[in-house]
Amino acid sequence: MEVVAVLYRVKQFFRGIFASRLSKDEVDFVKENLPEAAWELFFQMNRADRRHSMHVLKTALELFDDGFREQDFPYLSKQDAGNLRQLLIRCCLLHDVGRGSSMGPIRKSIAVLLNSFFPVWSRRYGRCDSRSYVRGLLYRYYHHGELGGELLRGIGMSTEAAIISLHHKKGRGNMLPENRKLLSILKEADGLN
């Protein structure tokens, strides 16, 4: 790993360890923007992932509000753009629900280190879920997007599930151009946080 990548991961680790609780206003915002079944999934995530989702949301909204409708989709009405903005909010808040409550900063750091130093072995070993600590950890690390998508499909959020399932994949799936753009915004915002 190069020095810049190591420093980024160290910063990310400490940001996760010392993640602050959500404020009352943030909790209210989550409850206002997600259906009850979805906010229950959100609050099952560990504190670091909840805080990370809020950071991703802030960045994604800045990217979205910076000319999304005018530059990319001038044919969208203000109402359609508002609906897409709401979809982006839901996707940002829920993009890591597939990690569950057990993938905290320490476990994530173990997965990151294994992926960095033993990438081929880690991917192969993490292909299947298992009760094995390391195999289960790697499986959740590599597949949390798909796992989150399954959870969201189970509560009737299929559009969000389609976007979230792909947020760590190279492809963009078979979806509307507007949703592909939301996926690219989510990927960029997640990568910046």
Side-chain angles (χ1 to χ4, degrees):
M1 279 173 59
E2 62 184 71
V3 175
V4 175
V6 170
L7 291 176
Y8 171 76
R9 292 301 187 176
V10 169
K11 177 184 167 190
Q12 189 179 43
F13 172 77
F14 282 106
R15 196 175 190 183
I17 290 291
F18 295 110
S20 61
R21 293 179 192 259
L22 298 186
S23 69
K24 182 186 179 322
D25 289 342
E26 289 171 320
V27 169
D28 291 343
F29 178 85
V30 169
K31 289 182 175 182
E32 288 168 11
N33 286 280
L34 295 177
E36 185 175 346
W39 58 258
E40 287 176 4
L41 291 174
F42 178 85
F43 289 113
Q44 287 174 8
M45 290 191 299
N46 66 64
R47 182 189 312 183
D49 284 338
R50 290 191 304 266
R51 176 56 55 204
H52 165 73
S53 293
M54 298 304 287
H55 288 297
V56 169
L57 173 64
K58 181 179 185 280
T59 303
L61 289 179
E62 289 169 1
L63 294 169
F64 182 91
D65 292 339
D66 190 24
F68 173 83
R69 187 169 64 89
E70 295 82 10
Q71 292 174 6
D72 299 309
F73 303 99
Y75 57 85
L76 287 178
S77 69
K78 286 187 186 260
Q79 181 178 356
D80 289 340
N83 292 339
L84 285 171
R85 191 175 193 277
Q86 285 303 119
L87 175 59
L88 180 62
I89 289 170
R90 292 189 301 273
C91 289
C92 289
L93 291 173
L94 299 169
H95 77 280
D96 281 340
V97 296
R99 285 191 183 152
S101 60
S102 63
M103 181 68 96
I106 293 173
R107 289 183 62 143
K108 183 179 177 196
S109 296
I110 293 169
V112 166
L113 289 171
L114 289 171
N115 181 60
S116 297
F117 292 109
F118 309 103
V120 174
W121 176 85
S122 296
R123 282 233 175 249
R124 190 174 322 127
Y125 199 65
R127 273 189 301 210
C128 303
D129 198 6
S130 171
R131 290 179 192 241
S132 157
Y133 180 83
V134 174
R135 180 168 274 166
L137 170 76
L138 288 171
Y139 179 77
R140 193 157 291 276
Y141 176 73
Y142 289 123
H143 301 282
H144 72 273
E146 297 98 321
L147 294 169
E150 289 174 24
L151 289 170
L152 294 174
R153 272 188 285 283
I155 61 171
M157 298 180 78
S158 58
T159 305
E160 293 84 350
I163 293 170
I164 288 169
S165 293
L166 296 171
H167 85 276
H168 280 293
K169 302 289 183 197
K170 289 186 180 175
R172 295 187 303 169
N174 184 19
M175 58 179 75
L176 295 170
E178 303 89 71
N179 292 353
R180 278 199 298 268
K181 182 63 177 178
L182 293 185
L183 173 61
S184 69
I185 290 172
L186 175 60
K187 286 180 175 185
E188 184 177 352
D190 194 25
L192 292 170
N193 287 283

